[in-house]
Amino acid sequence: MRRRGWWLLACGVLLAVFDTGLAVASAGPPVFPIAGFAANGLQVGGVSRLNDGGALIAASLSDDARSPRWRPVVVRLLLDGSVDLGYGTEGVSTPRIGRDTRATSLATDPQTGSTWIGVAGSHNQGAIVALNGEGFRHQRFGRHGILGLGAANAPVALARQPGQLLVASGTQPCTGCQLTLIDTSTGAVITRGALTPQALTGNARCT
């Protein structure tokens, strides 16, 4: 049976609702210090729960909090909250996609642990990184696991249903107004669309 989905953009926050769950993303995620790394910070881009009770966290790790250069990381947690050391390299997947790149969003297959991470580089250069359940790139997705979205088109939210990934990206005419539906296996574009200013009018007001 085809799964249905609904999308709602409100006050800069994209809510992507499928019958399998809810994904929420917003601009400006908080930055947390990491114990033992006083000069570093961790900026969370997204968290997804898995069917086995564990979770995947996509985040950005800074090299220096005073003049940060960010790199995306993905960590898999077990049911008891401990790091799954069998994921990636000793529990951490570090997809190398260029300097000063942040993880902005996350979508996950809760059964297999396959993951899609939205990332933003300099000039808001956008991309999607696809990882398998072991924390390594899906080589068939995009180009060796990376699908470029272009400049000024960084993803702000992702939502997945079987076989399809919805990407909300860009800054014009609003943050996340560019909508692209892609194949989760290959990264091929299924369809594109955009929210218009007229679609965003109504009684709601952001404060």
Side-chain angles (χ1 to χ4, degrees), residues 24-25 29 43-48 56-60 73-75 103-108 117-118:
V24 181
Q43 188 180 71
V44 176
V47 180
S48 289
L56 282 162
I57 301 173
S60 308
V73 297
V74 181
V75 179
T104 61
S105 46
L106 172 71
T108 300
I117 307 104

Side-chain angles (χ1 to χ4, degrees), residues 17-111:
V17 186
F18 291 106
D19 58 0
T20 53
L22 170 69
V24 181
S26 62
V31 178
F32 301 96
I34 305 172
F37 295 87
N40 294 53
L42 186 71
Q43 188 180 71
V44 176
V47 180
S48 289
R49 187 164 184 176
L50 303 174
N51 285 355
D52 63 6
L56 282 162
I57 301 173
S60 308
L61 184 66
S62 70
D63 297 325
D64 187 337
R66 293 168 295 181
S67 181
R69 289 181 178 176
W70 299 90
R71 54 191 173 94
V73 297
V74 181
V75 179
R76 180 166 182 160
L77 303 179
L78 299 173
L79 179 60
D80 62 2
S82 62
V83 173
D84 181 356
L85 297 179
Y87 185 81
T89 301
E90 297 183 349
V92 181
S93 176
T94 55
R96 301 184 184 278
I97 54 175
R99 301 175 62 184
D100 200 14
T101 303
R102 302 187 190 210
T104 61
S105 46
L106 172 71
T108 300
D109 180 337
Q111 180 64 38

Side-chain angles (χ1 to χ4, degrees), residues 169-191:
S169 62
T171 58
Q172 296 297 328
C174 64
T175 300
C177 275
Q178 301 302 316
L179 303 178
T180 307
L181 194 65
I182 64 175
D183 186 285
T184 53
S185 297
T186 65
V189 174
I190 299 171
T191 187

Side-chain angles (χ1 to χ4, degrees), residues 94-178:
T94 55
R96 301 184 184 278
I97 54 175
R99 301 175 62 184
D100 200 14
T101 303
R102 302 187 190 210
T104 61
S105 46
L106 172 71
T108 300
D109 180 337
Q111 180 64 38
T112 67
S114 293
T115 303
W116 297 263
I117 307 104
V119 298
S122 58
H123 306 294
N124 221 22
Q125 188 85 16
I128 305 294
V129 181
L131 304 178
N132 60 26
E134 297 178 345
F136 301 104
R137 288 186 197 173
H138 273 299
Q139 294 297 315
R140 291 183 56 235
F141 182 89
R143 185 176 176 85
H144 303 301
I146 300 175
L147 177 67
L149 300 178
N153 198 30
V156 297
L158 304 176
R160 172 204 162 270
Q161 62 179 359
Q164 299 178 343
L165 183 72
L166 175 70
V167 182
S169 62
T171 58
Q172 296 297 328
C174 64
T175 300
C177 275
Q178 301 302 316

